[in-house]
Amino acid sequence: MTEADIVVRIRDASVEIPLRGVKGGALGADPRIIQKVNGSLVLRALDKISLEVRRGERVGIVGGNGNGKTTLLKLIGGMLPAVGGSIEVRGSIRTLLTIGAGTVPALTGRQNVRMRYSLLGIKSISVDEYIADVAEFSELGAFFDMPIGTYSPGMQSRLQFAMSTVEPADILLLDEWIGVADHAFQVKANNRLEKYIEKNEGFLFASHNAELLQRMTDRTLTLQNGKIISDEASALSISSPA
Ligand SMILES: Nc1ncnc2c1ncn2[C@@H]1O[C@H](COP(=O)(O)OP(=O)(O)OP(=O)(O)O)[C@@H](O)[C@H]1O
């Protein structure tokens, strides 16, 4: 592995989440709850994580509820700061973490898509092509021109998935988001992700869906209590180009 292959490098980084309003009695309830010198309590959701991800790797992140999967994706996506250590991310990132994140409910789907085009700084296609692609893929019909505050969670996830996957990125960060979309859209979204794999795009995917992970990832990180307890290569079931 050469230096140029590395897209994510994390060294000894932790993430601490302030526990506002939680009393000292919580100490001892969970080894991740620690008291700062000013007396406040924090939850060390990630504890001195070290990780390198290569360009094109398809990394599954597993572990029980509350073990730090989403926190790790947010750390890589720049949505949470690291405490100590270092984090380096090279290249473009697309995130599909929280339903509704980065969208404006009062604006229509079309207006949100136009805004996202500018925010992503897309150069390979025109704004009209981008909007047409998202409109077609998300299949929202007349709702595309309605405020997204009127969308169901599944409709929002359709729009967000479509916006984030038009143009390849160096890294796509996916949380267990797809469950809210209906089965037909899940199949379509999986097909689009598989095309990403064919283009050798990398992603990190937190999920409890073992079958999906086995199909789509070639490396599995297991998190427990904010630590990586295993990091294993796995065979990718779908074919990728030589
Ligand atoms: N805003 C918050 N305030 C307090 N604690 C939080 C907050 N966000 C996350 N946590 C805590 O951080 C820890 C890690 O949460 P995280 O969402 O990363 O887990 P996860 O592995 O993604 O879980 P799941 O499988 O349920 O999605 C949990 O103990 C959770 O309670």
Side-chain angles (χ1 to χ4, degrees):
M1 173 162 63
T2 70
E3 183 61 23
D5 289 331
I6 308 279
V7 287
V8 176
R9 174 177 284 136
I10 304 175
R11 288 216 173 113
D12 286 331
S14 299
V15 169
E16 292 179 353
I17 300 175
L19 296 176
R20 292 195 183 86
V22 177
K23 299 279 180 268
L27 280 171
D30 187 317
R32 295 172 299 166
I33 299 178
I34 51 178
Q35 192 159 29
K36 307 300 280 185
V37 278
N38 65 5
S40 64
L41 297 182
V42 297
L43 182 101
R44 185 164 280 190
L46 288 180
D47 191 4
K48 293 203 171 159
I49 294 273
S50 292
L51 172 69
E52 284 184 352
V53 179
R54 279 182 293 126
R55 188 172 303 281
E57 261 190 308
R58 303 109 195 198
V59 183
I61 306 174
V62 301
N65 294 131
N67 277 291
K69 301 180 298 296
T70 303
T71 307
L72 176 58
L73 293 173
K74 286 185 173 171
L75 175 70
I76 296 170
M79 284 159 256
L80 283 173
V83 174
S86 63
I87 169 150
E88 224 182 305
V89 177
R90 300 177 188 158
S92 56
I93 288 198
R94 302 279 184 268
T95 56
L96 276 167
L97 301 186
T98 316
I99 290 179
T103 56
V104 181
L107 298 182
T108 66
R110 186 183 300 276
Q111 289 166 330
N112 272 282
V113 175
R114 187 177 288 280
M115 190 174 75
R116 183 64 61 93
Y117 178 85
S118 311
L119 288 174
L120 293 177
I122 290 176
K123 300 273 186 294
S124 63
I125 51 174
S126 71
V127 65
D128 289 339
E129 286 168 324
Y130 181 72
I131 292 171
D133 188 310
V134 175
E136 197 243 300
F137 193 84
S138 58
E139 290 178 37
L140 291 164
F143 277 91
F144 193 62
D145 287 303
M146 293 192 201
I148 66 168
T150 64
Y151 291 11
S152 68
M155 290 161 76
Q156 287 192 39
S157 77
R158 280 171 175 248
L159 188 75
Q160 283 178 271
F161 180 84
M163 286 195 294
S164 294
T165 54
V166 172
E167 194 189 50
D170 295 303
I171 311 159
L172 181 63
L173 303 177
L174 296 163
D175 209 346
E176 186 89 85
W177 57 275
I178 203 166
V180 294
D182 62 36
H183 182 70
F185 190 77
Q186 289 188 26
V187 170
K188 193 172 159 179
N190 285 341
N191 288 340
R192 184 127 148 180
L193 274 183
E194 291 184 5
K195 291 218 174 66
Y196 258 65
I197 291 177
E198 283 160 19
K199 286 192 231 153
N200 205 28
E201 294 306 315
F203 58 83
L204 285 94
F205 182 15
S207 177
H208 297 286
N209 186 331
E211 191 268 334
L212 200 58
L213 286 169
Q214 205 215 331
R215 273 168 56 73
M216 309 207 60
T217 61
D218 55 18
R219 177 178 171 189
T220 306
L221 297 179
T222 307
L223 285 180
Q224 193 177 63
N225 286 334
K227 292 180 192 286
I228 296 174
I229 58 162
S230 87
D231 181 355
E232 290 171 344
S234 50
L236 192 67
S237 322
I238 63 169
S239 58
S240 58

